[in-house]
Amino acid sequence: MKDLVKRAFELAGILSKEDEILVVTHIDADGITSGAIAWRALERAGKDVRIRFVKSLDKYEVERIADENRFVWFTDLGSGQINDICKNISDFIVTDHHVPEIITDNQLNPHIFGYDGSYELSGSTTTYILAKSIGLNHDLVTLAIVGAVGDLQDSNYGMLVGLNRNVLGEGVANGYLEAKKDLRFFGKQTRPVFKMLEYTFDPYLPGISGNERGSMEFLESLGVRVRENDSWLRWIDLSDEEKRKVTSEIVRILISRNYPYSLIMRIVGESYILLDEEVGTELRDAMEFSTLLNATARYGEEDVGLAVCLGDRGEGYRRAKSLLQNHRRNLSNGLKLIDEIGIVELENIQYFHAGRKILDTIIGIVAGMSYSFANRNKPVIAFAENDDGVKVSARATKTLVERGVHLAQAIKIAAEKVGGTGGGHSIAAGATIPRGTEDEFLRILDRVVGEQLLN
Ligand code: C5P
Ligand code: C5P
Ligand code: ZN
């Protein structure tokens, strides 16, 4: 930790000498919050800041960035492409949590300091640590936590751990955040409880998931209020007693269905509340906030996500909420598509090919969600076509990682063998490969994952 903080101060020293800075960041929730943290910290330090969002950093993108002739601060990406960056850009720093290709002095990255970048520190929490070295930026802790939750860094244990937990602790101590032991379902702030349960598919709740009547009856059978004074009650409107009843009944159902204890722990873990945000809005709960952000930049509307992070509660916020409807529809259609086309199992992996029916920018989210019904003993590989070729998203489980699976390493090998590029984390990785090479890619990946499981 000491070494990481020391590096943060060194990088802050480098930034302090620059006047014009280009922040380059990723289009997901972690990337948007990282970019917003960097932008705000630099603006407060009186710098001239520009920001650029990228889907991925291939060598053409790196060349375009180099053409801007500005000092560059890469956030939530860069470490996986550090060789290309070093070749093309002379003045830059990186705050990222992806597995670094090589170690350099200008990267603040948990992996370099002995931490895991898939659950101990996100792009946003890494960037926040640097922001604090630049100036008084403690209030940006809420964005840091939204980013970490957006990257599912709390999903292994149902709570943030490692250095993320230190960052959270600061936010709690300074009165910006509350960490609450609570059911970890989506929509606690904004959805009627019966809808929240109906829309929960991970884990699948028999008789409740996808079943409005069933969900309603479940609540009624427990004596939990569904409606009062002509309005549907949300989770936050229920009494502690009602919440306890629902939670223990869900736990009982899962135990009776032989769900592993670790999965149950993840469901009744922690929720993170942004204390300065209005109760009952997407912005109040880190999980809902991060989904709102994913609904923006992944659809090319990064300005909207950035504006919301920087405090827009008017036009930008309204636009984000309408994009969220669209995002939810797309995720639900994505899951329906998998149901139709099926998941094909190979020896060590399983896959589905969405063609152009799922956007390449959300295929990774859908791949992760598919674990609610896919075989949890094999990594899920998903393909979606885009204009550059085929986007690959891969997801594993914590148990698979503990058994030796490292998706970033496996994907990198398989992608490079077929003329593509890839990387990421042990538990989640991605690549772009040339069209038509999917079968060859799968064959290699199946073999490499098999080898990882043997070692
Ligand atoms: O590019 P980036 O690192 O931000 O993406 C991380 C991805 O890894 C997220 O999309 C997240 O869904 C996935 N992930 C996961 N399970 C974890 C940690 C991350 O699926 N435990
Ligand atoms: O796009 P997706 O969410 O599947 O990405 C999973 C992880 O793999 C992310 O951390 C992402 O940054 C990384 N990735 C990568 N190179 C790619 C595609 C994704 O390093 N070409
Ligand atoms: Zn990230």
Side-chain angles (χ1 to χ4, degrees):
M1 175 77 180
K2 244 172 46 202
D3 291 346
L4 189 139
V5 171
K6 188 166 158 258
R7 175 68 54 82
F9 274 105
E10 286 161 12
L11 298 189
I14 296 177
L15 283 170
S16 70
K17 298 195 191 86
E18 302 295 330
D19 293 324
E20 297 177 345
I21 296 163
L22 174 66
V23 174
V24 175
T25 195
H26 200 200
I27 56 162
D28 66 1
D30 191 23
I32 304 169
T33 49
S34 301
I37 292 168
W39 195 93
R40 186 64 94 203
L42 292 172
E43 180 224 29
R44 284 175 179 166
K47 309 288 180 188
D48 178 291
V49 203
R50 273 198 226 149
I51 187 161
R52 180 180 185 123
F53 286 83
V54 298
K55 236 198 238 187
S56 67
L57 258 190
D58 57 23
K59 67 171 188 290
Y60 305 105
E61 191 64 60
V62 172
E63 282 165 12
R64 282 193 288 272
I65 293 164
D67 285 345
E68 294 218 14
N69 279 322
R70 273 193 166 219
F71 184 92
V72 188
W73 179 357
F74 290 96
T75 68
D76 191 37
L77 37 68
S79 289
Q81 303 79 12
I82 196 82
N83 285 321
D84 260 347
I85 298 176
C86 286
K87 259 186 243 150
N88 289 279
I89 303 173
S90 47
D91 296 321
F92 71 93
I93 62 159
V94 176
T95 51
D96 187 16
H97 65 132
H98 292 94
V99 178
E101 279 184 320
I102 51 162
I103 293 173
T104 60
D105 287 344
N106 56 358
Q107 293 179 75
L108 190 67
N109 185 314
H111 293 280
I112 298 176
F113 299 91
Y115 300 99
D116 186 295
S118 61
Y119 61 98
E120 292 184 299
L121 210 59
S122 62
S124 58
T125 42
T126 309
T127 304
Y128 168 73
I129 291 173
L130 178 49
K132 275 195 316 170
S133 312
I134 297 173
L136 282 177
N137 290 308
H138 289 86
D139 56 327
L140 304 180
V141 71
T142 50
L143 293 175
I145 295 304
V146 168
V149 169
D151 254 13
L152 307 187
Q153 297 224 329
D154 58 344
S155 64
N156 286 354
Y157 301 96
M159 62 170 81
L160 291 167
V161 298
L163 295 184
N164 280 326
R165 196 144 195 97
N166 296 21
V167 172
L168 172 72
E170 270 179 35
V172 171
N174 289 329
Y176 295 112
L177 288 162
E178 184 189 344
K180 218 174 160 171
K181 194 154 177 23
D182 203 350
L183 198 61
R184 286 167 46 82
F185 286 176
F186 185 86
K188 295 199 293 287
Q189 295 285 330
T190 54
R191 283 179 176 165
V193 185
F194 77 96
K195 281 282 163 205
M196 176 185 93
L197 296 178
E198 180 194 339
Y199 290 155
T200 295
F201 288 93
D202 185 17
Y204 187 83
L205 306 169
I208 300 171
S209 300
N211 182 343
E212 180 176 300
R213 190 70 250 138
S215 172
M216 202 83 99
E217 284 170 5
F218 169 76
L219 293 166
E220 282 162 0
S221 73
L222 295 174
V224 171
R225 292 165 303 149
V226 174
R227 202 176 159 85
E228 200 167 80
N229 300 332
D230 282 342
S231 53
W232 301 111
L233 298 185
R234 301 158 300 183
W235 183 256
I236 51 168
D237 301 320
L238 299 186
S239 67
D240 287 347
E241 179 58 22
E242 286 172 313
K243 287 181 190 166
R244 240 192 323 272
K245 275 190 201 161
V246 175
T247 308
S248 42
E249 188 55 20
I250 286 174
V251 168
R252 199 193 60 73
I253 293 174
L254 296 178
I255 291 174
S256 74
R257 307 277 295 194
N258 290 326
Y259 270 77
Y261 177 70
S262 57
L263 192 137
I264 295 172
M265 284 307 292
R266 271 178 265 149
I267 288 160
V268 289
E270 275 179 356
S271 285
Y272 303 110
I273 306 296
L274 279 70
L275 294 171
D276 290 339
E277 301 295 345
E278 201 180 314
V279 175
T281 65
E282 295 80 4
L283 308 172
R284 180 82 176 174
D285 178 301
M287 202 189 270
E288 294 198 54
F289 196 148
S290 69
T291 303
L292 185 76
L293 295 179
N294 273 324
T296 65
R298 287 182 191 257
Y299 298 87
E301 303 217 20
E302 48 258 28
D303 294 357
V304 174
L306 182 65
V308 171
C309 287
L310 294 175
D312 183 329
R313 299 293 176 264
E315 194 47 47
Y317 179 42
R318 274 194 293 280
R319 176 73 188 146
K321 283 197 286 190
S322 96
L323 287 168
L324 181 60
Q325 304 298 329
N326 169 59
H327 181 50
R328 282 189 183 143
R329 213 168 26 243
N330 286 341
L331 294 181
S332 143
N333 288 342
L335 288 175
K336 271 192 212 137
L337 179 80
I338 306 175
D339 195 39
E340 279 162 37
I341 61 177
I343 299 182
V344 182
E345 293 208 22
L346 304 180
E347 199 176 335
N348 303 300
I349 58 178
Q350 55 193 331
Y351 75 93
F352 64 91
H353 199 313
R356 286 209 177 243
K357 293 196 171 140
I358 299 179
L359 275 175
D360 63 330
T361 50
I362 63 162
I363 186 80
I365 303 181
V366 179
M369 292 171 84
S370 76
Y371 263 132
S372 57
F373 46 85
N375 181 353
R376 295 188 70 81
N377 294 317
K378 294 176 183 176
V380 174
I381 316 301
F383 297 104
E385 281 175 22
N386 63 22
D387 294 339
D388 305 323
V390 179
K391 168 72 206 301
V392 186
S393 277
R395 295 292 185 273
T397 63
K398 182 169 158 264
T399 313
L400 283 167
V401 171
E402 282 163 0
R403 286 172 53 203
V405 171
H406 195 301
L407 288 178
Q409 285 166 7
I411 283 270
K412 195 168 162 64
I413 295 170
E416 287 175 2
K417 284 249 164 73
V418 300
T421 54
H425 311 282
S426 53
I427 202 162
T432 300
I433 58 173
R435 206 161 289 138
T437 63
E438 292 96 317
D439 288 343
E440 173 73 355
F441 173 84
L442 283 168
R443 205 178 50 72
I444 301 165
L445 191 64
D446 195 25
R447 179 176 54 75
V448 176
V449 170
E451 286 164 6
Q452 290 180 337
L453 284 165
L454 283 178
N455 290 328

mmCIF file of all heavy atoms in Angstrom, residues 26 28 55-57 76-77 80-81 97-98 151 298 360-361 363-365 367 391-395 408 411 421-425 428-432, ligand 2:
data_model
loop_
_atom_site.group_PDB
_atom_site.id
_atom_site.type_symbol
_atom_site.label_atom_id
_atom_site.label_comp_id
_atom_site.label_asym_id
_atom_site.label_seq_id
_atom_site.Cartn_x
_atom_site.Cartn_y
_atom_site.Cartn_z
ATOM 1 N N HIS A 26 -12.304 4.492 -20.716
ATOM 2 C CA HIS A 26 -13.080 3.384 -21.254
ATOM 3 C C HIS A 26 -14.571 3.728 -21.210
ATOM 4 O O HIS A 26 -14.997 4.536 -20.398
ATOM 5 C CB HIS A 26 -12.776 2.182 -20.339
ATOM 6 C CG HIS A 26 -13.068 0.863 -20.919
ATOM 7 N ND1 HIS A 26 -13.231 -0.247 -20.142
ATOM 8 C CD2 HIS A 26 -13.221 0.461 -22.204
ATOM 9 C CE1 HIS A 26 -13.471 -1.285 -20.923
ATOM 10 N NE2 HIS A 26 -13.468 -0.886 -22.167
ATOM 11 N N ASP A 28 -17.155 1.999 -20.167
ATOM 12 C CA ASP A 28 -18.060 1.370 -19.193
ATOM 13 C C ASP A 28 -18.136 2.201 -17.907
ATOM 14 O O ASP A 28 -17.501 3.243 -17.800
ATOM 15 C CB ASP A 28 -17.656 -0.079 -18.918
ATOM 16 C CG ASP A 28 -16.321 -0.186 -18.228
ATOM 17 O OD1 ASP A 28 -15.712 0.864 -17.934
ATOM 18 O OD2 ASP A 28 -15.879 -1.319 -17.980
ATOM 19 N N LYS A 55 -13.674 2.564 -26.982
ATOM 20 C CA LYS A 55 -14.215 1.218 -26.785
ATOM 21 C C LYS A 55 -13.095 0.284 -26.400
ATOM 22 O O LYS A 55 -13.212 -0.537 -25.515
ATOM 23 C CB LYS A 55 -14.787 0.761 -28.134
ATOM 24 C CG LYS A 55 -16.222 0.353 -28.113
ATOM 25 C CD LYS A 55 -16.509 -0.461 -29.349
ATOM 26 C CE LYS A 55 -17.605 0.122 -30.187
ATOM 27 N NZ LYS A 55 -18.008 -0.755 -31.303
ATOM 28 N N SER A 56 -12.001 0.399 -27.125
ATOM 29 C CA SER A 56 -10.808 -0.368 -26.770
ATOM 30 C C SER A 56 -9.618 0.379 -27.350
ATOM 31 O O SER A 56 -9.776 1.259 -28.195
ATOM 32 C CB SER A 56 -10.887 -1.780 -27.317
ATOM 33 O OG SER A 56 -10.838 -1.734 -28.717
ATOM 34 N N LEU A 57 -8.431 0.027 -26.881
ATOM 35 C CA LEU A 57 -7.233 0.756 -27.313
ATOM 36 C C LEU A 57 -6.449 -0.083 -28.302
ATOM 37 O O LEU A 57 -5.493 -0.755 -27.914
ATOM 38 C CB LEU A 57 -6.342 1.004 -26.100
ATOM 39 C CG LEU A 57 -6.306 2.359 -25.427
ATOM 40 C CD1 LEU A 57 -5.173 2.401 -24.414
ATOM 41 C CD2 LEU A 57 -6.172 3.521 -26.406
ATOM 42 N N ASP A 76 -8.459 3.550 -16.451
ATOM 43 C CA ASP A 76 -9.206 2.290 -16.639
ATOM 44 C C ASP A 76 -8.809 1.545 -17.912
ATOM 45 O O ASP A 76 -9.508 0.638 -18.336
ATOM 46 C CB ASP A 76 -10.729 2.530 -16.597
ATOM 47 C CG ASP A 76 -11.518 1.224 -16.516
ATOM 48 O OD1 ASP A 76 -11.041 0.303 -15.836
ATOM 49 O OD2 ASP A 76 -12.589 1.121 -17.149
ATOM 50 N N LEU A 77 -7.754 1.940 -18.546
ATOM 51 C CA LEU A 77 -7.179 1.169 -19.633
ATOM 52 C C LEU A 77 -5.755 1.667 -19.846
ATOM 53 O O LEU A 77 -5.330 2.644 -19.220
ATOM 54 C CB LEU A 77 -8.002 1.249 -20.934
ATOM 55 C CG LEU A 77 -8.690 2.539 -21.342
ATOM 56 C CD1 LEU A 77 -7.682 3.599 -21.709
ATOM 57 C CD2 LEU A 77 -9.624 2.294 -22.507
ATOM 58 N N GLY A 80 -2.836 -2.854 -20.473
ATOM 59 C CA GLY A 80 -2.855 -4.017 -21.364
ATOM 60 C C GLY A 80 -2.287 -3.713 -22.740
ATOM 61 O O GLY A 80 -2.065 -4.616 -23.542
ATOM 62 N N GLN A 81 -2.070 -2.416 -23.038
ATOM 63 C CA GLN A 81 -1.561 -2.020 -24.365
ATOM 64 C C GLN A 81 -0.328 -1.141 -24.208
ATOM 65 O O GLN A 81 0.010 -0.343 -25.072
ATOM 66 C CB GLN A 81 -2.634 -1.227 -25.144
ATOM 67 C CG GLN A 81 -3.962 -1.931 -25.337
ATOM 68 C CD GLN A 81 -4.856 -1.885 -24.096
ATOM 69 O OE1 GLN A 81 -4.601 -1.144 -23.141
ATOM 70 N NE2 GLN A 81 -5.906 -2.668 -24.102
ATOM 71 N N HIS A 97 -6.263 -1.009 -13.913
ATOM 72 C CA HIS A 97 -6.246 -2.233 -13.103
ATOM 73 C C HIS A 97 -6.219 -3.489 -13.958
ATOM 74 O O HIS A 97 -6.462 -4.584 -13.454
ATOM 75 C CB HIS A 97 -7.458 -2.257 -12.162
ATOM 76 C CG HIS A 97 -8.772 -2.341 -12.890
ATOM 77 N ND1 HIS A 97 -9.755 -3.230 -12.539
ATOM 78 C CD2 HIS A 97 -9.261 -1.652 -13.968
ATOM 79 C CE1 HIS A 97 -10.800 -3.083 -13.360
ATOM 80 N NE2 HIS A 97 -10.522 -2.125 -14.218
ATOM 81 N N HIS A 98 -5.997 -3.335 -15.260
ATOM 82 C CA HIS A 98 -5.877 -4.524 -16.118
ATOM 83 C C HIS A 98 -4.470 -5.098 -15.991
ATOM 84 O O HIS A 98 -3.526 -4.381 -15.660
ATOM 85 C CB HIS A 98 -6.171 -4.150 -17.567
ATOM 86 C CG HIS A 98 -7.605 -3.774 -17.796
ATOM 87 N ND1 HIS A 98 -8.039 -2.479 -17.746
ATOM 88 C CD2 HIS A 98 -8.687 -4.536 -18.012
ATOM 89 C CE1 HIS A 98 -9.338 -2.458 -17.958
ATOM 90 N NE2 HIS A 98 -9.766 -3.690 -18.112
ATOM 91 N N ASP A 151 -17.811 -2.538 -12.043
ATOM 92 C CA ASP A 151 -16.940 -3.609 -12.551
ATOM 93 C C ASP A 151 -17.165 -4.915 -11.798
ATOM 94 O O ASP A 151 -16.370 -5.840 -11.946
ATOM 95 C CB ASP A 151 -15.469 -3.207 -12.411
ATOM 96 C CG ASP A 151 -14.863 -2.844 -13.755
ATOM 97 O OD1 ASP A 151 -15.637 -2.665 -14.706
ATOM 98 O OD2 ASP A 151 -13.633 -2.754 -13.851
ATOM 99 N N ARG A 298 -21.882 3.142 -23.381
ATOM 100 C CA ARG A 298 -21.880 1.918 -24.192
ATOM 101 C C ARG A 298 -22.752 2.082 -25.434
ATOM 102 O O ARG A 298 -22.742 1.255 -26.332
ATOM 103 C CB ARG A 298 -22.363 0.733 -23.366
ATOM 104 C CG ARG A 298 -21.337 0.265 -22.332
ATOM 105 C CD ARG A 298 -21.859 -0.932 -21.585
ATOM 106 N NE ARG A 298 -21.057 -1.261 -20.423
ATOM 107 C CZ ARG A 298 -20.176 -2.267 -20.379
ATOM 108 N NH1 ARG A 298 -19.973 -3.016 -21.435
ATOM 109 N NH2 ARG A 298 -19.502 -2.509 -19.270
ATOM 110 N N ASP A 360 -21.849 -5.261 -29.563
ATOM 111 C CA ASP A 360 -20.524 -5.645 -29.043
ATOM 112 C C ASP A 360 -20.207 -4.939 -27.722
ATOM 113 O O ASP A 360 -19.437 -5.439 -26.916
ATOM 114 C CB ASP A 360 -19.431 -5.349 -30.087
ATOM 115 C CG ASP A 360 -19.316 -3.874 -30.405
ATOM 116 O OD1 ASP A 360 -20.336 -3.155 -30.311
ATOM 117 O OD2 ASP A 360 -18.205 -3.425 -30.743
ATOM 118 N N THR A 361 -20.842 -3.792 -27.473
ATOM 119 C CA THR A 361 -20.538 -3.051 -26.243
ATOM 120 C C THR A 361 -21.260 -3.594 -25.013
ATOM 121 O O THR A 361 -20.951 -3.207 -23.890
ATOM 122 C CB THR A 361 -20.912 -1.558 -26.409
ATOM 123 O OG1 THR A 361 -22.258 -1.506 -26.910
ATOM 124 C CG2 THR A 361 -19.969 -0.854 -27.345
ATOM 125 N N ILE A 363 -22.132 -7.151 -24.968
ATOM 126 C CA ILE A 363 -22.048 -8.615 -25.018
ATOM 127 C C ILE A 363 -21.393 -9.178 -23.736
ATOM 128 O O ILE A 363 -21.778 -10.243 -23.251
ATOM 129 C CB ILE A 363 -21.307 -9.097 -26.303
ATOM 130 C CG1 ILE A 363 -21.348 -10.621 -26.450
ATOM 131 C CG2 ILE A 363 -19.868 -8.631 -26.360
ATOM 132 C CD1 ILE A 363 -22.622 -11.157 -27.009
ATOM 133 N N GLY A 364 -20.447 -8.409 -23.168
ATOM 134 C CA GLY A 364 -19.775 -8.864 -21.940
ATOM 135 C C GLY A 364 -20.746 -8.906 -20.759
ATOM 136 O O GLY A 364 -20.715 -9.836 -19.954
ATOM 137 N N ILE A 365 -21.624 -7.917 -20.684
ATOM 138 C CA ILE A 365 -22.605 -7.903 -19.585
ATOM 139 C C ILE A 365 -23.535 -9.107 -19.739
ATOM 140 O O ILE A 365 -23.815 -9.826 -18.785
ATOM 141 C CB ILE A 365 -23.438 -6.600 -19.583
ATOM 142 C CG1 ILE A 365 -22.533 -5.365 -19.488
ATOM 143 C CG2 ILE A 365 -24.448 -6.605 -18.446
ATOM 144 C CD1 ILE A 365 -23.291 -4.042 -19.459
ATOM 145 N N ALA A 367 -22.939 -11.881 -21.305
ATOM 146 C CA ALA A 367 -22.186 -13.117 -21.026
ATOM 147 C C ALA A 367 -22.151 -13.375 -19.520
ATOM 148 O O ALA A 367 -22.375 -14.496 -19.062
ATOM 149 C CB ALA A 367 -20.766 -13.011 -21.590
ATOM 150 N N LYS A 391 -16.126 -9.375 -31.798
ATOM 151 C CA LYS A 391 -15.826 -9.047 -30.398
ATOM 152 C C LYS A 391 -16.052 -10.303 -29.561
ATOM 153 O O LYS A 391 -17.083 -10.950 -29.689
ATOM 154 C CB LYS A 391 -16.749 -7.914 -29.930
ATOM 155 C CG LYS A 391 -16.760 -7.661 -28.433
ATOM 156 C CD LYS A 391 -15.462 -7.017 -27.969
ATOM 157 C CE LYS A 391 -15.159 -7.301 -26.512
ATOM 158 N NZ LYS A 391 -16.119 -6.874 -25.551
ATOM 159 N N VAL A 392 -15.063 -10.623 -28.724
ATOM 160 C CA VAL A 392 -15.188 -11.774 -27.833
ATOM 161 C C VAL A 392 -15.271 -11.264 -26.402
ATOM 162 O O VAL A 392 -14.517 -10.367 -26.010
ATOM 163 C CB VAL A 392 -13.936 -12.687 -27.918
ATOM 164 C CG1 VAL A 392 -14.149 -13.958 -27.105
ATOM 165 C CG2 VAL A 392 -13.584 -13.000 -29.360
ATOM 166 N N SER A 393 -16.192 -11.822 -25.629
ATOM 167 C CA SER A 393 -16.234 -11.539 -24.194
ATOM 168 C C SER A 393 -16.221 -12.863 -23.464
ATOM 169 O O SER A 393 -16.974 -13.769 -23.824
ATOM 170 C CB SER A 393 -17.525 -10.797 -23.825
ATOM 171 O OG SER A 393 -17.376 -9.425 -24.064
ATOM 172 N N ALA A 394 -15.386 -12.960 -22.445
ATOM 173 C CA ALA A 394 -15.300 -14.209 -21.691
ATOM 174 C C ALA A 394 -15.502 -13.924 -20.214
ATOM 175 O O ALA A 394 -15.023 -12.916 -19.696
ATOM 176 C CB ALA A 394 -13.939 -14.848 -21.921
ATOM 177 N N ARG A 395 -16.244 -14.801 -19.555
ATOM 178 C CA ARG A 395 -16.462 -14.661 -18.118
ATOM 179 C C ARG A 395 -16.253 -16.005 -17.436
ATOM 180 O O ARG A 395 -16.645 -17.048 -17.966
ATOM 181 C CB ARG A 395 -17.897 -14.186 -17.824
ATOM 182 C CG ARG A 395 -18.211 -12.776 -18.336
ATOM 183 C CD ARG A 395 -17.439 -11.709 -17.577
ATOM 184 N NE ARG A 395 -17.800 -10.350 -17.956
ATOM 185 C CZ ARG A 395 -17.250 -9.679 -18.972
ATOM 186 N NH1 ARG A 395 -16.310 -10.227 -19.727
ATOM 187 N NH2 ARG A 395 -17.634 -8.440 -19.227
ATOM 188 N N ALA A 408 -7.632 -13.779 -18.966
ATOM 189 C CA ALA A 408 -6.840 -12.780 -19.709
ATOM 190 C C ALA A 408 -5.676 -13.462 -20.428
ATOM 191 O O ALA A 408 -5.431 -13.222 -21.614
ATOM 192 C CB ALA A 408 -6.335 -11.689 -18.774
ATOM 193 N N ILE A 411 -7.108 -15.888 -23.244
ATOM 194 C CA ILE A 411 -7.696 -15.138 -24.367
ATOM 195 C C ILE A 411 -6.596 -14.464 -25.196
ATOM 196 O O ILE A 411 -6.661 -14.409 -26.416
ATOM 197 C CB ILE A 411 -8.653 -14.060 -23.805
ATOM 198 C CG1 ILE A 411 -9.967 -14.700 -23.359
ATOM 199 C CG2 ILE A 411 -8.883 -12.937 -24.766
ATOM 200 C CD1 ILE A 411 -11.037 -14.777 -24.402
ATOM 201 N N THR A 421 -6.373 -9.397 -30.910
ATOM 202 C CA THR A 421 -5.742 -8.958 -29.657
ATOM 203 C C THR A 421 -6.744 -9.091 -28.524
ATOM 204 O O THR A 421 -7.948 -8.983 -28.745
ATOM 205 C CB THR A 421 -5.331 -7.465 -29.703
ATOM 206 O OG1 THR A 421 -6.502 -6.711 -30.061
ATOM 207 C CG2 THR A 421 -4.221 -7.190 -30.666
ATOM 208 N N GLY A 422 -6.222 -9.314 -27.331
ATOM 209 C CA GLY A 422 -7.136 -9.444 -26.205
ATOM 210 C C GLY A 422 -6.420 -9.324 -24.880
ATOM 211 O O GLY A 422 -5.196 -9.249 -24.819
ATOM 212 N N GLY A 423 -7.188 -9.284 -23.804
ATOM 213 C CA GLY A 423 -6.616 -9.174 -22.459
ATOM 214 C C GLY A 423 -7.715 -8.983 -21.442
ATOM 215 O O GLY A 423 -8.868 -9.279 -21.720
ATOM 216 N N GLY A 424 -7.368 -8.452 -20.280
ATOM 217 C CA GLY A 424 -8.370 -8.195 -19.247
ATOM 218 C C GLY A 424 -7.940 -8.703 -17.896
ATOM 219 O O GLY A 424 -6.841 -8.398 -17.436
ATOM 220 N N HIS A 425 -8.793 -9.514 -17.276
ATOM 221 C CA HIS A 425 -8.558 -10.017 -15.909
ATOM 222 C C HIS A 425 -8.666 -11.542 -15.899
ATOM 223 O O HIS A 425 -9.146 -12.134 -16.853
ATOM 224 C CB HIS A 425 -9.602 -9.456 -14.950
ATOM 225 C CG HIS A 425 -9.779 -7.985 -15.052
ATOM 226 N ND1 HIS A 425 -8.890 -7.093 -14.490
ATOM 227 C CD2 HIS A 425 -10.721 -7.237 -15.658
ATOM 228 C CE1 HIS A 425 -9.301 -5.870 -14.741
ATOM 229 N NE2 HIS A 425 -10.412 -5.928 -15.451
ATOM 230 N N ALA A 428 -12.548 -12.123 -16.021
ATOM 231 C CA ALA A 428 -13.289 -11.528 -17.144
ATOM 232 C C ALA A 428 -12.293 -10.995 -18.160
ATOM 233 O O ALA A 428 -11.381 -10.248 -17.794
ATOM 234 C CB ALA A 428 -14.176 -10.380 -16.647
ATOM 235 N N ALA A 429 -12.445 -11.387 -19.403
ATOM 236 C CA ALA A 429 -11.507 -10.914 -20.416
ATOM 237 C C ALA A 429 -12.227 -10.723 -21.735
ATOM 238 O O ALA A 429 -13.383 -11.128 -21.888
ATOM 239 C CB ALA A 429 -10.355 -11.905 -20.575
ATOM 240 N N GLY A 430 -11.557 -10.086 -22.684
ATOM 241 C CA GLY A 430 -12.185 -9.834 -23.973
ATOM 242 C C GLY A 430 -11.145 -9.785 -25.070
ATOM 243 O O GLY A 430 -9.938 -9.761 -24.812
ATOM 244 N N ALA A 431 -11.621 -9.783 -26.313
ATOM 245 C CA ALA A 431 -10.712 -9.734 -27.451
ATOM 246 C C ALA A 431 -11.471 -9.270 -28.676
ATOM 247 O O ALA A 431 -12.705 -9.254 -28.691
ATOM 248 C CB ALA A 431 -10.132 -11.123 -27.719
ATOM 249 N N THR A 432 -10.723 -8.878 -29.707
ATOM 250 C CA THR A 432 -11.300 -8.711 -31.036
ATOM 251 C C THR A 432 -10.509 -9.628 -31.954
ATOM 252 O O THR A 432 -9.264 -9.614 -31.922
ATOM 253 C CB THR A 432 -11.196 -7.253 -31.520
ATOM 254 O OG1 THR A 432 -11.919 -6.437 -30.591
ATOM 255 C CG2 THR A 432 -11.815 -7.071 -32.888
HETATM 256 O O1 C5P B 2 -15.630 -6.212 -23.153
HETATM 257 P P1 C5P B 2 -15.657 -7.046 -21.954
HETATM 258 O O2 C5P B 2 -16.509 -6.508 -20.863
HETATM 259 O O3 C5P B 2 -15.929 -8.488 -22.205
HETATM 260 O O4 C5P B 2 -14.182 -7.032 -21.400
HETATM 261 C C1 C5P B 2 -13.755 -7.817 -20.310
HETATM 262 C C2 C5P B 2 -12.384 -7.354 -19.879
HETATM 263 O O5 C5P B 2 -11.437 -7.600 -20.939
HETATM 264 C C3 C5P B 2 -12.347 -5.876 -19.638
HETATM 265 O O6 C5P B 2 -11.523 -5.661 -18.547
HETATM 266 C C4 C5P B 2 -11.755 -5.314 -20.906
HETATM 267 O O7 C5P B 2 -11.084 -4.121 -20.696
HETATM 268 C C5 C5P B 2 -10.796 -6.405 -21.326
HETATM 269 N N1 C5P B 2 -10.568 -6.417 -22.785
HETATM 270 C C6 C5P B 2 -9.275 -6.308 -23.298
HETATM 271 N N2 C5P B 2 -9.050 -6.315 -24.652
HETATM 272 C C7 C5P B 2 -10.070 -6.424 -25.521
HETATM 273 C C8 C5P B 2 -11.390 -6.542 -25.044
HETATM 274 C C9 C5P B 2 -11.617 -6.512 -23.657
HETATM 275 O O8 C5P B 2 -8.328 -6.204 -22.514
HETATM 276 N N3 C5P B 2 -9.838 -6.419 -26.837
#
